[in-house]
């Protein structure tokens, strides 16, 4: 796990090590995405359950599934755009999302949730340093746009699902 500190604090030194890593994208997905990706949904559930149990029970899995889906969509689109291997992009994007997932610790207290955007903003820096390392600087703007659009769609879709009155009624009926 020491590599996470290097990734976050010295990404330009980390990317050459990343390139030598022979682990598959599946290993990255199971080791890092599925675990770090739980931080936000679990803490959101804990903080929302007293406010609205129905919203909490819908929002947590919706955000988790949306986060994992975004990994695949971004990786597919970006691999095509950059003409790079899907596996490399998927591993790269999982790492780019680690600051987002770590900053989700602020989800434990709803009024502080806005601070979780610190990780999202930092993810742009990781995207930039990674694209620079891969010598794909000319694609920075389209990759940033893909990242931003998917992040916003993820957040909006998760919120729409969580506030769906039909789903909330179904959960209410099932929990009595």
């Amino acid at each position: 796990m020491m590599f996470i500190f290097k990734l976050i604090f010295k990404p330009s030194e980390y990317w050459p090590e990343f390139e030598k890593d022979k682990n598959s994208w599946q290993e990255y997905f199971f080791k890092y995405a599925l675990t770090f990706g739980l931080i936000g949904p679990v803490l959101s559930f804990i903080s929302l359950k007293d406010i609205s149990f129905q919203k909490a029970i819908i929002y947590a899995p919706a955000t988790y599934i949306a986060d994992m889906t975004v990994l695949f969509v971004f990786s597919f689109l970006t691999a095509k755009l950059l003409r790079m291997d899907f596996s490399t992009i998927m591993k790269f994007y999982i790492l780019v999302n680690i600051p987002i997932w770590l900053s989700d610790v602020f989800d434990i207290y709803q009024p502080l949730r806005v601070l979780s955007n610190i990780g999202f903003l930092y993810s742009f820096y990781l995207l930039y340093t990674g694209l620079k390392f891969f010598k794909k600087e000319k694609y920075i703007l389209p990759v940033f746009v893909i990242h931003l659009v998917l992040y916003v769609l993820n957040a909006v879709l998760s919120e729409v699902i969580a506030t769906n009155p039909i789903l909330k009624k179904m959960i209410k009926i099932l929990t009595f």
Side-chain angles (χ1 to χ4, degrees), residues 131 137-146:
L131 290 171
E137 296 100 328
K138 69 180 182 179
Y139 295 102
I140 287 173
L141 183 60
V143 171
F144 275 22
V145 168
I146 293 169

Side-chain angles (χ1 to χ4, degrees), residues 54-125:
Q54 291 83 15
K55 182 176 180 177
I57 205 157
I58 297 168
Y59 185 77
T63 58
Y64 188 65
I65 292 166
D67 283 356
M68 298 307 118
T69 303
V70 163
L71 292 174
F72 286 95
V73 172
F74 177 93
S75 299
F76 175 78
L77 293 174
T78 306
K80 295 287 184 198
L81 175 70
L82 302 179
R83 292 181 190 91
M84 289 180 66
D85 178 49
F86 172 84
S87 179
T88 302
I89 297 299
M90 179 64 135
K91 289 169 31 177
F92 168 67
Y93 197 57
I94 288 169
L95 295 175
V96 164
N97 276 277
I98 287 177
I100 295 171
W101 295 323
L102 290 176
S103 70
D104 280 347
V105 297
F106 294 109
D107 288 355
I108 189 67
Y109 183 61
Q110 289 301 304
L112 292 179
R113 278 188 75 200
V114 70
L115 294 176
S116 68
N117 290 320
I118 293 168
F120 173 62
L121 294 174
Y122 195 75
S123 70
F124 282 102
Y125 179 66

Side-chain angles (χ1 to χ4, degrees), residues 6-16 18-19 82 84 92 95-96 99 121-137 139-140 143-144:
K6 193 170 201 175
L7 169 70
I8 292 172
F9 296 110
K10 296 182 179 183
S12 296
E13 291 179 22
Y14 175 75
W15 295 124
F18 167 78
E19 190 175 47
L82 302 179
M84 289 180 66
F92 168 67
L95 295 175
V96 164
L121 294 174
Y122 195 75
S123 70
F124 282 102
Y125 179 66
L126 291 182
L127 274 172
Y128 170 76
T129 59
L131 290 171
K132 192 173 164 187
F133 173 75
F134 291 125
K135 298 186 181 4
K136 300 289 185 177
E137 296 100 328
Y139 295 102
I140 287 173
V143 171
F144 275 22

Side-chain angles (χ1 to χ4, degrees), residues 14-30:
Y14 175 75
W15 295 124
E17 294 175 23
F18 167 78
E19 190 175 47
K20 296 173 192 166
D21 186 350
K22 299 298 179 203
N23 289 316
S24 67
W25 71 264
Q26 293 94 334
E27 289 176 79
Y28 271 63
F29 186 74
F30 287 106

